[in-house]
Every structure is written in C-alpha cells, then in structure tokens.
Amino acid sequence: MLTDDEKAIFNDNLTCEETMKYAMDNAKDIIALGFDVKKTFIYSDLKYLGGHFLMNAWEFSKLVTFNQVRGAFGFNESTNIGRAFFPSVQCVAAFATSYPEIWAEEPLQDRLPSIARIPCLIPMGIDQDPYFRLVRDNAHRMRNPSPKPALIHSKFLTALQGAGGKMSSSNPNSAIFMTDTPKQIKTKINRHAFSGGQVNLEEHRRIGGNPDVDVSYIYLTYFEESDEKLAEVYKNYREGSLLTGELKKMAIDLLQEYVQQFQTRRAAVTDQVLEEFMRPRKLEWGGNPRHPSPNVTEAGRVAN
Amino acid sequence: MLTDDEKAIFNDNLTCEETMKYAMDNAKDIIALGFDVKKTFIYSDLKYLGGHFLMNAWEFSKLVTFNQVRGAFGFNESTNIGRAFFPSVQCVAAFATSYPEIWAEEPLQDRLPSIARIPCLIPMGIDQDPYFRLVRDNAHRMRNPSPKPALIHSKFLTALQGAGGKMSSSNPNSAIFMTDTPKQIKTKINRHAFSGGQVNLEEHRRIGGNPDVDVSYIYLTYFEESDEKLAEVYKNYREGSLLTGELKKMAIDLLQEYVQQFQTRRAAVTDQVLEEFMRPRKLEWGGNPRHPSPNVTEAGRVAN
C-alpha cells in the first residue's frame, strides 16, 4: 500500500500527482529490497482504490464516528473531511476482500466471507499504530468479519549521532542514505557515528567500551545475520579487546556491501518491472522453503 | 452518477452490494427515458470511483472542514466519517476532470486545466442543494479551477391527493407508477386525482373549476408539450366549459401513452445496453438538432 493519497491530504503543499510520483520511486526502492514478484502486489492508493476496496472503506466508515477519529488522531472540528475519512482507507487495507484480483484467476465478483477470514500481518512504523487500533477494534463488526490483524512494530534505525537523535534528509551527516557511495559511508561512520569507546586506547583497553550506545554496533545488529558473531563482538567490545576503529570498520564493510547490493538491484528495477509488481493479478504462494508452513488446502483456509 | 455509495452510507440497513443492484435498475429506467448512448455516460460510484475522480475528491476534501459539513448537513460529532467525507465525492462529480475517458480516445493521463474549465449543468432534486452550495463555494479553489456549476432544481410531481401530498410507494393510490397498466392509470386518476371542479355539473358550468389545484391539470402541465393547448385547457376549465371528467380523460390519455411508451423502451434495455451506457469511453456531441448551439471548436472550448 503506497499511501500517496494520505500524503496528499496531510501535506498542504503536495498535489496528488506529486505524491503519486514519489510513491513510484518508493515502490522501486521496496522492490530492490528483494521481494518476489509472484508473491507481491504493490499498489498506489490513488490508482487502485475503488471497487471492493472502496466498498470496504465505505462499510468501515459507517462503524467509526467523528468523535472516535478525533480521539484516536487528535483531530478537531477544523480538521478537513479528507483526514477524517482517511482512516477507513488505511484500515481496510488489512482486509483480504479488498483485493479481489489476488486470490483467483478471475477477479472475485463479491466480497466473500471465506476470503474475509484470511488473516493479515502488518509490519509498520510506530506512528501508524492508531490506525490499526481502530481496525483491531472494528474488524469483527464488518458484515463479513475479518480477524484482528497482527502487527509488527518496526524500529527506526538510530541516527549516526546516537540514540534519540533524528535522521533527517536536511542533515546528510545524520544518516547513511541508500544512494551513498562506499567512500561517503566510510567517512560518515568514521567521523559521525557516535562511539561507545573510551577517550584513548589505554582507557579503552582498561575499562572497555559500551556497545549499547555505540551506533556502529547498533547498525551491526540490524544488518549482521549471525547472532553468534554479534554476541562475540558485544563481548569483545565490552572487554576492551575490540577497538572502536575495528568496530567501525565492521560496520563500514557491512553497510558498504548492503548499500552497494541494494544499488545494483535498484538499478535493475525498470518501469516494466515496477508495472508487473503493480498489476492486479493472482498471486502465488508456496510457502518459504527456509521455513516449513502449515498445509494450505484452499485460498485462505489453513488445514488444522 | 448513481450514488449507490451514498445510499449504503446513509441507510443503516443496506449493504453496498444491495444499493449497487438497485442502482442498476435505476440506470435502466433512466436509459428508458430516451437518452442517447453516444452522449451519455452513466456510472455507479461504487464501480467507477477511483483515479482522477478520487484525486478530485481527496483534493476537494482538503478544502472543507468538519465544521463546514456540520453546518451544511446538520452533522454532529457522532456522525460517521463516511457521511462526513461523502460531500467530496458528490461535489467533484461536477468537475469535468473527474472523467478522463469521456473527452478523448485515450484516457487523459493528467487532470488538465483546459478540461477543468468545461462548465457543468446539474439537474437535481431540491434535497441535494447543500452539496452544490458547497461545490459552488469551492470550485475556484481547486488547483485546476472549475467554473461554478449551474443548477436546475427539479420539481417533484405532486401526489394524486393534491399539492402538499406525498407520493409514497407504500400507498399505491398516491402516485402513478411507471409499471402501472392503462387500466390502473384510468382507475387511479378517476378515483383519486384531486379535482378543482365543483360539486355538481350546474355549479361547475356556473362558476367554473380551479385548474391551479386540479391534479389532472397539473399532470397535463408536466406531460403536454403544447403551451397553446395548455392555455386553452386552463381557460376552458376556469370558465366551466370544460368538465372535470373531460379533463381527467385528457390526463388519462396522456399518462397512458407516456407510461406505455416508457414500458416499451424499458423492456428494450437489456443488460448489454446497460453495459454500453456504463462503459467509460469517449462521448460524441454534435449539438441538439432541434436547438442551434454555439460553435464548439475543441473539447469544452466554445467559440465566442
């Protein structure tokens, strides 16, 4: 769900056309993370919203009063009516019936109870939480009830300046960007990544560093897959046997590789690739070969 | 514009699926009145809403606060958010940019200022007036401004019981239905149409009837095309030379013919005919041969 509509309503200086263009760029970034086109449908609200999706939004909007969105989002009587309604759109994105095309070769004609029962998992930024409280409160009240969606609250990456700092595109030294060169990454981490080390080598060897506040270590926890290796780095830095420069070097290597691989995949996301991801169509799921999954006997019905 | 979405939001007992079905029947009735498929695009909100139409609705929704719809429609804080937002949908139906398909062979990619300038005429029931006050107040504030739409306030036909009476489907003797047989029409008018005549023939000849309150005469004014004929009937009834029975006969003949012709045309409106009227496509206008029109040089631009 690319919420280009939300951005246009909440930002007074952006038009629908502009937010849709940004959304297309975002979609290419998302694809470059490595999603499987067979299992992935990406859509722009401004293009896709209609049909069953909109029917769900209208139906959901009957369940929610202005008082309730005022409480949930801090709206008041001077809030525009677009913002008041928007939660309906955001919420029903969690209902499987909103996507009549992805379950069958021919788009489903009606919103079926059996499709409505398919559960939904939402990875989201913490700021989106009020929307999903609303949907968890009301999902069972739809004519075809849906289960409460399950949520994963994503952590934001910390700024280079350390915990509590804010990444900001107006301060290029606050963050590593996915467009940075290897040299920029190296310079930023060496110069700006907040360190949990001591003021000099002797002190560091004597009392050790603090990985809990060290941004290089925190970044390692995001991108290093091996828990054993992370535990070892934590221990060595804490003891003072691993130096700040060595830890920064690890973060630099990992980030240079991650960003470079991303950039290679991003360059491969042509308009044609994007179009295929955004084409409403039947998706194919076969489970994740790395994780055994329960037997799926038919669309949305999981064998017990 | 078939407002099946509005009906679903404002009526607690109707689902979107039900109102959409009713809308299709209404569309067939509308077609049977004699619209030209080359000049007419009929759409269900629940099916068509999306794309440029929805962009216009979101953009319009930024111009209107909850306070304003509260004032215009008598909403309060317990009103559901669907009703609060719905005026945006209703209002932007008056903007030509909401219909990217009807102006060119290929649907327009952007909402163009030149298309936005095409004026709009809205025939409507008086109850829809608040919506169009809102659109007239805000049309010039859109990014691509539109002219204030012009409105025709339609009169409702009076009930058979006379002025101020209410036609009601639960009282079949209050109205002529488009499904009535010639015999039903005759019986209803003879028995139930309020008359402006006198209690007996002598009185009627002596002081004359009152056509202003006579339902048969009022119905004649709706369906009789000739103003001369109407004036003559008015004068003769007023003078008492035309009797109530004779006047009723005129209304019966006219309504029997009108309803019968409607029923013939209605029977010819198959699902295929309906589908063509509802297919988003370029429309063709060549003016009305019965009325000379200004020279149209290009879509929406009228030569001065």
Side-chain angles (χ1 to χ4, degrees):
Chain A
M1 180 183 209
L2 303 166
T3 53
D4 39 10
D5 50 352
E6 181 187 25
K7 285 170 191 66
I9 301 163
F10 283 80
N11 187 320
D12 288 335
N13 299 316
L14 286 176
T15 66
C16 290
E17 278 82 357
E18 286 164 338
T19 58
M20 190 150 74
K21 230 170 61 186
Y22 292 138
M24 296 301 143
D25 269 343
N26 292 345
K28 287 185 173 179
D29 290 342
I30 292 165
I31 292 168
L33 293 175
F35 283 89
D36 181 349
V37 69
K38 290 205 211 73
K39 303 178 182 176
T40 313
F41 170 50
I42 300 176
Y43 60 93
S44 138
D45 278 357
L46 287 174
K47 281 193 176 181
Y48 183 65
L49 204 51
H52 289 191
F53 201 123
L54 199 63
M55 284 190 200
N56 277 341
W58 285 132
E59 191 183 328
F60 194 85
S61 75
K62 289 171 80 168
L63 307 175
V64 178
T65 67
F66 182 77
N67 266 331
Q68 287 172 303
V69 294
R70 180 165 63 177
F73 301 100
F75 293 158
N76 61 44
E77 284 72 9
S78 300
T79 299
N80 73 49
I81 57 176
R83 295 184 193 189
F85 177 71
F86 184 74
S88 312
V89 174
Q90 180 78 303
C91 287
V92 303
F95 298 152
T97 50
S98 293
Y99 312 97
E101 304 90 353
I102 71 177
W103 309 105
E105 296 295 347
E106 285 294 306
L108 296 166
Q109 287 305 304
D110 293 313
R111 295 175 295 159
L112 303 176
S114 58
I115 298 290
R117 281 196 295 268
I118 299 173
C120 175
L121 172 68
I122 303 166
M124 62 167 187
I126 187 76
D127 56 314
Q128 300 293 303
D129 191 57
Y131 288 118
F132 296 109
R133 284 174 185 268
L134 215 54
V135 71
R136 286 176 56 86
D137 283 349
N138 291 292
H140 67 285
R141 298 173 64 207
M142 294 288 284
R143 191 170 53 92
N144 294 331
S146 287
K148 289 182 198 296
L151 309 178
I152 296 177
H153 283 194
S154 313
K155 267 192 199 173
F156 290 110
L157 267 66
T158 188
L160 285 170
Q161 282 68 32
K166 195 172 169 302
M167 283 193 189
S168 162
S169 53
S170 60
N171 175 8
N173 291 325
S174 67
I176 308 288
F177 296 112
M178 299 306 277
T179 48
D180 282 347
T181 63
K183 188 154 174 294
Q184 283 174 314
I185 293 172
K186 187 177 172 187
T187 309
K188 281 187 186 179
I189 292 193
N190 279 334
R191 287 206 198 145
H192 300 288
F194 185 81
S195 166
Q198 304 305 332
V199 286
N200 58 42
L201 183 64
E202 289 70 36
E203 280 288 284
H204 191 80
R205 291 285 188 213
R206 196 170 62 81
I207 59 174
N210 180 2
D212 293 329
V213 299
D214 188 287
V215 168
S216 298
Y217 178 77
I218 294 168
Y219 280 15
L220 279 192
T221 65
Y222 298 141
F223 296 102
E224 174 56 58
E225 294 271 336
S226 160
D227 288 345
E228 290 79 25
K229 189 167 173 196
L230 273 177
E232 202 194 322
V233 169
Y234 189 92
K235 181 168 155 288
N236 293 343
Y237 196 61
R238 183 59 87 188
E239 291 173 351
S241 61
L242 184 70
L243 301 178
T244 292
E246 292 166 335
L247 180 57
K248 286 201 168 188
K249 176 81 171 48
M250 286 179 191
I252 291 166
D253 288 348
L254 210 55
L255 279 166
Q256 282 178 337
E257 194 196 339
Y258 187 87
V259 171
Q260 198 267 309
Q261 284 182 359
F262 173 85
Q263 289 174 358
T264 305
R265 288 193 303 262
R266 179 64 172 74
V269 182
T270 60
D271 288 345
Q272 285 70 37
V273 171
L274 176 63
E275 208 172 294
E276 183 58 15
F277 270 90
M278 298 190 72
R279 183 171 64 83
R281 67 206 184 282
K282 190 185 174 193
L283 299 182
E284 296 169 34
W285 296 274
N288 182 336
R290 289 191 289 178
H291 298 279
S293 65
N295 240 355
V296 176
T297 53
E298 60 173 289
R301 199 73 58 80
V302 176
N304 291 315
Chain B
M1 181 183 207
L2 304 166
T3 54
D4 39 10
D5 50 352
E6 182 186 25
K7 287 171 189 66
I9 301 164
F10 283 81
N11 187 320
D12 288 336
N13 299 317
L14 286 176
T15 66
C16 289
E17 277 82 355
E18 286 164 337
T19 58
M20 190 149 75
K21 230 170 60 186
Y22 292 137
M24 296 300 143
D25 269 343
N26 292 344
K28 286 184 174 179
D29 290 342
I30 292 166
I31 293 168
L33 292 175
F35 284 89
D36 180 350
V37 69
K38 291 205 209 72
K39 303 178 182 179
T40 312
F41 171 50
I42 300 176
Y43 60 93
S44 139
D45 278 357
L46 287 173
K47 281 194 176 179
Y48 183 67
L49 204 50
H52 289 192
F53 201 125
L54 199 63
M55 283 190 202
N56 278 342
W58 286 131
E59 192 183 328
F60 195 86
S61 75
K62 289 171 80 168
L63 307 175
V64 179
T65 67
F66 182 77
N67 266 331
Q68 287 171 304
V69 293
R70 180 166 62 177
F73 301 100
F75 293 159
N76 61 42
E77 285 71 10
S78 300
T79 299
N80 73 49
I81 56 176
R83 294 185 194 188
F85 177 72
F86 184 73
S88 312
V89 175
Q90 180 79 302
C91 287
V92 304
F95 299 152
T97 50
S98 295
Y99 313 96
E101 303 91 353
I102 72 177
W103 309 106
E105 296 295 347
E106 286 293 305
L108 296 166
Q109 287 305 303
D110 294 312
R111 295 175 295 160
L112 302 176
S114 59
I115 298 291
R117 281 195 296 267
I118 298 173
C120 176
L121 173 68
I122 304 166
M124 62 168 188
I126 187 76
D127 57 315
Q128 301 295 302
D129 191 56
Y131 289 117
F132 296 109
R133 284 174 186 268
L134 215 52
V135 70
R136 286 177 56 87
D137 283 349
N138 291 290
H140 67 287
R141 298 174 63 206
M142 294 288 283
R143 192 169 52 89
N144 295 331
S146 287
K148 290 183 197 294
L151 309 178
I152 296 177
H153 284 193
S154 314
K155 267 192 198 172
F156 291 109
L157 266 66
T158 188
L160 285 170
Q161 282 67 32
K166 196 175 169 298
M167 285 193 187
S168 162
S169 52
S170 60
N171 175 7
N173 290 326
S174 66
I176 309 288
F177 296 110
M178 299 305 279
T179 47
D180 281 348
T181 62
K183 186 154 177 293
Q184 284 174 314
I185 292 172
K186 186 176 173 187
T187 311
K188 281 187 187 181
I189 292 192
N190 278 334
R191 286 206 199 147
H192 300 288
F194 184 81
S195 166
Q198 303 305 333
V199 286
N200 58 42
L201 183 63
E202 288 69 36
E203 279 290 282
H204 191 80
R205 292 281 188 217
R206 193 170 64 82
I207 59 174
N210 180 2
D212 293 329
V213 300
D214 189 287
V215 168
S216 299
Y217 178 77
I218 294 168
Y219 281 13
L220 278 193
T221 65
Y222 298 140
F223 296 102
E224 174 54 60
E225 295 271 337
S226 162
D227 288 346
E228 292 77 27
K229 187 165 175 195
L230 274 176
E232 201 194 320
V233 170
Y234 189 93
K235 181 169 156 284
N236 293 344
Y237 196 59
R238 182 62 85 188
E239 292 174 351
S241 62
L242 184 69
L243 301 179
T244 292
E246 292 166 334
L247 181 57
K248 286 200 169 189
K249 175 82 170 45
M250 286 179 191
I252 291 166
D253 287 348
L254 211 55
L255 278 165
Q256 283 177 335
E257 193 195 341
Y258 187 87
V259 171
Q260 199 267 311
Q261 285 182 358
F262 174 83
Q263 289 173 359
T264 306
R265 288 193 303 263
R266 179 64 173 76
V269 181
T270 60
D271 288 344
Q272 284 70 36
V273 170
L274 176 62
E275 209 172 293
E276 184 58 15
F277 270 91
M278 299 190 74
R279 183 172 64 85
R281 66 205 185 284
K282 189 183 173 192
L283 299 183
E284 297 168 36
W285 296 273
N288 183 335
R290 286 191 290 177
H291 299 281
S293 65
N295 238 354
V296 176
T297 53
E298 58 173 288
R301 199 75 56 80
V302 176
N304 289 316

